[in-house]
């Protein structure tokens, strides 16, 4: 057998042969073919097919009362995205029966899943809102267009709304809709006023119907209001996006983060600090964890790295020093580490410091890294990338947004379905929600990965991106989101399988605001509200 | 068609000629060859529809890579193995376990190592398309190759 490198070259040739370069052939065709690139787009014709089919079925359904009883009021025509630009129907509307699901039926709960989503329209019953949040007692719709007169509405059933008093002219400060839409234990709501000042209320207080506002001076105070967060979860200075207080019961696998710090120029002799945006700690249960800090110059060559200081999650300081290849735990971290017989490894000569378990030892804790101090005796006279890895860890004890060097923001958003409702099946997972500064401007965000586990041991990547996830009685309901709005199907993961259900959304254009109360999807757009029944049972 | 429209088409045509293969290859490690081709076409179509804006971007191919990746993932609801198995006729040349070993890598590592070692991209080309730094690409490649060697044991 030839070398691995040569095998990969050959494998690349195999891939290209298989690919057949069909599109490459198109490149060389006349210009007109390029203009008609849309002909390659499979999803739109497929989607249009569904839409036209839906319209046909609805028309037929609409004709039924005409033939059966002239006294019955006609059934309104269901809206079909793009093909019917009319606004919300004024009567309760049932969408057409959808085509059969595209996924094989899971072994349980499938009987509860409707063949299609049934939408009921309630025009005019919803307030204008630019943000809709799920709270423990229902949905909160927040309208902040007018900075001086924001309004917060609450509903417990999706239909009846009441105005919630807010403490001052304010606007919503935080971006947390995704969290709250999927998190059964939302934290709170933050408001800030035009002259500064910050108010916080615990959403749980809304269970009594009125929020309990507390003024606070800083983000850190907000956390204090909530009490100490587990495992040192705290507000990190300078982060992009917002954090959630940690949840120790949630798992993650293959946690990998690379943070590049480029253009640290003219580092003098001695040490310099690299201020991370606070790399989360994570716990590993039998998995191999690795954390390394590497310094390289602008050409990618390793540079001298004699010392790395990391602050662990409990506030202790860990110092890795090249002398003797020792890890010096300065304080407060001894009990957290069990490297087994294989590590830690320190290879300062290569400019790389690794903490890992190479021979089966369990690395129980990878310390959180707030700041790294790098340096060497002769200084660093070129730009440096410090790359921080943490791979194959589990149990992130907290999650917060992390900004990488290219401006991409990553946030681990865990979700956990109702154990009681699902018995032994335990849909539990997390996804990375990433945003990037130069992505599609109309991208409304969402997860990049959804990992689920029925038993906390076996993990499956559902491989959906840009989705909203709701917890319902039969499992997790995943609404897929494309660049141009909601996809024409939703997924339901019940801990056994992912079932897709076609859906015709009752609005023509996204964005609307989608939430869930119980087993109903709540869609709010332009003051209209639709309730979508996903389950027949 | 006006002169301006002609110029726009010529401009996009040149972009398409130069970058389509690169875009498609960059999507192959994460999506597989079929979806990668469709996603690349979708992304290019998106680029054409928004060409006035995309053409002004600092890194249009990196942008379309993100677009294509999102579209491809949306197409693929269930997980498959992105990289195809080795045809029987090529087994003497390629270890049959190689595709599965590649599939077991993290998506980022798989993407980078396939682009560098299978498609023979330079580190700089990978860095530009994936919006990474060159040193990050190098690190991914090293770690991926190390994992592959460990995974394949003595067969590679």
């Amino acid at each position: 057998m030839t070398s691995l490198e040569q095998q990969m070259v050959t494998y690349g040739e195999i891939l290209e042969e298989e690919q057949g370069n069909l599109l490459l052939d198109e490149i060389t065709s006349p210009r007109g073919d390029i203009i008609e690139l849309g002909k390659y787009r499979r999803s739109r014709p497929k989607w249009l097919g569904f839409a036209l089919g839906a319209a046909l079925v609805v028309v037929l359904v609409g004709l039924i009362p005409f033939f059966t009883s002239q006294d019955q009021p006609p059934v309104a025509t269901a809206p079909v995205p793009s093909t019917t630009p009319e606004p919300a129907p004024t009567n309760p509307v049932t969408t057409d029966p959808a085509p059969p699901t595209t996924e094989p039926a899971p072994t349980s709960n499938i009987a509860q899943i409707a063949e299609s989503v049934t939408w009921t329209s309630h025009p005019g019953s919803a307030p204008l809102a630019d943000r809709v949040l799920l709270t423990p007692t229902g949905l909160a719709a927040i309208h902040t267009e007018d900075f001086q007169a924001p309004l917060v509405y609450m509903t417990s059933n999706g239909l009846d709304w009441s105005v919630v008093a807010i403490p001052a002219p304010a606007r919503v400060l935080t971006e947390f809709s995704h969290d709250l839409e999927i998190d059964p234990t939302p934290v709170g709501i933050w408001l800030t006023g035009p002259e500064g000042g910050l108010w916080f209320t615990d959403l749980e207080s809304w269970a009594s119907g009125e929020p309990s506002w507390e003024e606070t001076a800083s983000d850190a105070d907000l956390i204090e209001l909530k009490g100490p967060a587990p495992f040192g979860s705290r507000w990190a200075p300078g982060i992009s996006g917002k954090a959630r207080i940690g949840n120790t019961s949630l798992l993650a696998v293959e946690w990998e983060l690379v943070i590049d710090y480029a253009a640290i120029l003219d580092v003098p002799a001695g040490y310099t600090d690299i201020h991370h945006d606070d790399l989360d700690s994570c716990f590993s249960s039998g998995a191999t964890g690795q954390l390394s800090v590497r310094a390289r110059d602008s050409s990618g060559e390793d540079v001298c790295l004699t010392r790395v200081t990391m602050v662990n999650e409990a506030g202790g300081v860990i110092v890795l020093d090249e002398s003797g290849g020792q890890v010096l735990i300065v304080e407060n971290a001894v009990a957290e580490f069990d490297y087994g017989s294989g590590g830690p490894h320190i290879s300062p000569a290569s400019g790389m410091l690794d903490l890992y378990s190479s021979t089966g030892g369990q690395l129980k804790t990878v310390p959180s890294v707030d700041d790294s101090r790098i340096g060497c005796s002769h200084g660093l006279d070129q730009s440096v990338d410090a790359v921080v890895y943490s791979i194959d860890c589990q149990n992130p004890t907290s999650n917060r947004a992390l900004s990488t060097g290219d401006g991409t923001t990553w946030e681990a958003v865990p979700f956990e379905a109702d154990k009681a409702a699902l018995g032994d099946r335990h849909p539990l997972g997390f996804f990375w929600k990433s945003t990037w500064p130069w992505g599609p401007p109309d991208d409304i965000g969402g997860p990049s990965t959804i990992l689920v586990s029925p038993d906390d041991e076996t993990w499956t990547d559902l491989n959906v991106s840009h989705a909203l996830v709701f917890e319902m009685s039969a499992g997790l309901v995943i609404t897929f989101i494309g660049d141009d709005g909601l996809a024409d199907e939703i997924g339901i993961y019940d801990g056994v399988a992912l079932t897709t259900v076609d859906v015709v959304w009752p609005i023509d254009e996204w964005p609307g605001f989608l939430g869930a109360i119980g087993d109903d999807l709540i869609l709010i757009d332009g003051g209209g509200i639709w309730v979508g029944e996903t389950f027949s049972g | 068609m006006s002169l301006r429209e002609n110029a726009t088409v010529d401009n996009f045509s040149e972009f398409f000629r130069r970058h389509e293969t690169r875009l498609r290859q960059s999507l192959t490690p994460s999506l597989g060859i079929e979806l990668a081709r469709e996603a690349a076409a979708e992304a290019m179509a998106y680029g054409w529809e928004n060409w006035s804006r995309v053409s002004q971007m600092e890194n249009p191919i990196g942008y379309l890579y993100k677009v294509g990746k999102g579209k491809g993932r949306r197409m693929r609801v269930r997980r498959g193995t992105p990289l195809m198995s080795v045809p029987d006729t090529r087994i003497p040349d390629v270890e049959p376990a190689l595709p599965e070993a590649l599939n077991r890598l993290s998506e980022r590592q798989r993407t980078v190592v396939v682009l560098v070692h299978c498609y023979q991209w330079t580190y700089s080309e990978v860095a530009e398309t994936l919006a990474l730094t060159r040193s990050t690409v190098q690190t991914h490649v090293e770690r991926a190759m190390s994992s592959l060697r460990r995974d394949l044991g003595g067969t590679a």
Side-chain angles (χ1 to χ4, degrees), chain A residues 5 11 260 290 385 462, chain B residues 77-78 84 135-136 143 149:
Chain A
E5 286 81 359
Y11 185 64
D260 289 342
Q290 180 167 318
D385 288 347
L462 296 183
Chain B
V77 175
R78 292 181 70 88
M84 56 177 284
S135 63
T136 299
R143 289 174 183 268
R149 288 196 168 89

Side-chain angles (χ1 to χ4, degrees), chain B residues 12-125:
Chain B
F12 178 75
S13 299
E14 177 61 22
F15 176 82
F16 189 92
R17 257 186 291 275
R18 288 181 57 191
H19 293 295
E20 188 281 328
T21 299
R22 185 170 159 190
L23 178 62
R24 176 172 47 80
Q25 289 184 343
S26 67
L27 294 168
T28 297
S30 57
L31 299 175
I33 54 176
E34 291 185 8
L35 273 185
R37 194 174 67 199
E38 292 186 27
E42 291 271 3
M44 278 294 182
Y46 180 93
W48 167 246
E49 292 167 359
N50 300 275
W51 186 238
S52 61
R53 179 165 53 85
V54 173
S55 62
Q56 302 303 312
M57 293 178 176
E58 184 178 344
N59 183 4
I61 190 64
Y63 176 87
L64 293 184
Y65 168 75
K66 297 273 190 178
V67 172
K69 198 170 175 182
K71 289 181 179 295
R73 280 185 159 172
R74 183 182 159 192
M75 296 174 195
R76 186 185 61 180
V77 175
R78 292 181 70 88
R79 184 182 186 86
T81 51
L83 295 178
M84 56 177 284
S85 58
V86 180
D88 292 342
T89 55
R90 307 299 292 269
I91 285 179
D93 302 323
V94 182
E95 162 61 42
L98 177 61
E100 281 308 307
L102 286 167
N103 285 330
R104 280 191 288 271
L105 295 175
S106 70
E107 184 176 306
R108 178 63 64 83
Q109 287 188 1
R110 181 170 66 247
T111 299
V112 170
V113 79
V114 166
L115 294 179
V116 169
H117 281 296
C118 294
Y119 290 137
Q120 304 284 288
W121 289 26
T122 66
Y123 285 0
S124 297
E125 289 171 335

Side-chain angles (χ1 to χ4, degrees), chain A residues 241-447:
Chain A
K242 289 298 176 183
R244 288 180 61 259
I245 290 177
N247 184 332
T248 58
S249 67
L250 296 162
L251 301 178
V253 294
E254 200 175 33
W255 185 63
E256 177 177 315
L257 177 71
V258 179
I259 303 177
D260 289 342
Y261 292 88
I264 301 174
L265 299 172
D266 299 326
V267 178
Y271 302 112
T272 186
D273 291 333
I274 298 175
H275 297 286
H276 305 298
D277 287 334
D278 198 359
L279 180 63
D280 276 350
S281 63
C282 60
F283 278 60
S284 174
S285 175
T288 299
Q290 180 167 318
L291 172 70
S292 63
V293 178
R294 165 177 254 171
R296 289 179 156 169
D297 64 20
S298 57
S299 64
E301 298 298 321
D302 292 332
V303 297
C304 176
L305 181 61
T306 58
R307 177 173 167 142
V308 175
T309 302
M310 290 176 282
V311 181
N312 81 340
E313 61 201 14
V317 177
I318 305 166
V319 178
L320 300 99
D321 198 302
E322 65 172 330
S323 59
Q326 297 296 314
V327 174
L328 307 176
I329 300 173
V330 175
E331 58 179 281
N332 198 22
V334 175
E336 299 289 342
F337 289 88
D338 176 10
Y339 299 107
S341 58
H345 289 218
I346 300 179
S347 304
S350 67
M352 188 167 181
L353 299 172
D354 280 341
L355 275 68
Y356 63 94
S357 171
S358 62
T359 57
Q362 292 185 3
L363 179 59
K364 289 185 176 178
T365 301
V366 173
S368 65
V369 181
D370 292 334
D371 298 306
S372 292
R373 172 167 294 184
I374 65 172
C376 61
S377 57
H378 56 73
L380 304 171
D381 56 3
Q382 300 182 73
S383 64
V384 173
D385 288 347
V387 183
V388 179
Y389 280 96
S390 182
I391 302 174
D392 296 333
C393 294
Q394 291 180 319
N395 275 0
T397 57
S398 62
N399 72 83
R400 57 177 64 87
L402 299 164
S403 295
T404 56
D406 64 358
T408 303
T409 299
W410 293 86
E411 183 176 8
V413 183
F415 54 83
E416 182 176 15
D418 186 351
K419 295 178 184 178
L422 297 171
D424 293 336
R425 299 180 309 282
H426 186 196
L428 178 150
F430 92 126
F431 54 74
W432 284 115
K433 182 176 72 176
S434 64
T435 56
W436 55 90
W438 42 278
D442 54 351
D443 193 314
I444 61 177

Side-chain angles (χ1 to χ4, degrees), chain A residues 24-281:
Chain A
L24 197 58
D25 293 340
E26 296 292 340
I27 302 172
T28 58
S29 63
R31 176 186 303 162
D33 287 341
I34 296 176
I35 297 173
E36 294 173 3
L37 271 173
K39 70 182 182 182
Y40 293 108
R41 307 187 67 171
R42 189 179 66 173
S43 60
R44 185 151 297 171
K46 173 191 170 190
W47 175 84
L48 277 176
F50 281 131
L52 292 173
L56 177 61
V57 172
V58 168
V59 168
L60 292 175
V61 170
L63 289 175
I64 291 174
F66 177 79
F67 289 111
T68 55
S69 171
Q70 295 291 339
D71 296 332
Q72 296 295 323
V75 177
T77 302
V80 179
S82 297
T83 58
T84 52
E86 293 300 319
T90 56
N91 292 321
V93 167
T94 300
T95 60
D96 57 287
T101 56
T102 56
E103 297 295 333
T107 56
S108 64
N109 283 327
I110 187 65
Q112 299 180 38
I113 300 173
E115 291 184 351
S116 63
V117 177
T118 301
W119 292 101
T120 304
S121 171
H122 298 272
S125 62
L128 283 174
D130 49 21
R131 189 182 303 264
V132 177
L133 308 172
L134 176 64
T135 77
T137 54
L139 291 178
I142 304 170
H143 180 57
T144 58
E145 185 177 345
D146 182 352
F147 189 80
Q148 297 297 323
L151 291 169
V152 180
Y153 304 87
M154 281 293 297
T155 181
S156 59
N157 57 12
L159 304 178
D160 303 316
W161 297 80
S162 59
V163 177
V164 172
I166 56 177
R171 63 182 171 86
V172 175
L173 175 68
T174 53
E175 292 286 347
F176 60 151
S177 58
H178 282 287
D179 287 358
L180 293 184
E181 281 163 355
I182 59 103
D183 189 344
T185 56
V187 177
I189 186 171
W190 289 261
L191 299 175
T192 184
E195 305 299 329
L198 204 58
W199 290 267
F200 166 83
T201 189
D202 187 336
L203 286 179
E204 292 177 1
S205 68
W206 286 14
S208 62
E210 287 294 331
S212 175
W213 294 99
E214 294 185 60
E215 186 170 3
T216 178
S218 67
D219 286 350
D221 289 343
L222 297 179
I223 300 302
E224 291 303 317
L225 285 170
K226 285 294 295 178
F231 296 96
S233 176
R234 58 193 177 278
W235 219 259
I239 63 172
S240 295
K242 289 298 176 183
R244 288 180 61 259
I245 290 177
N247 184 332
T248 58
S249 67
L250 296 162
L251 301 178
V253 294
E254 200 175 33
W255 185 63
E256 177 177 315
L257 177 71
V258 179
I259 303 177
D260 289 342
Y261 292 88
I264 301 174
L265 299 172
D266 299 326
V267 178
Y271 302 112
T272 186
D273 291 333
I274 298 175
H275 297 286
H276 305 298
D277 287 334
D278 198 359
L279 180 63
D280 276 350
S281 63

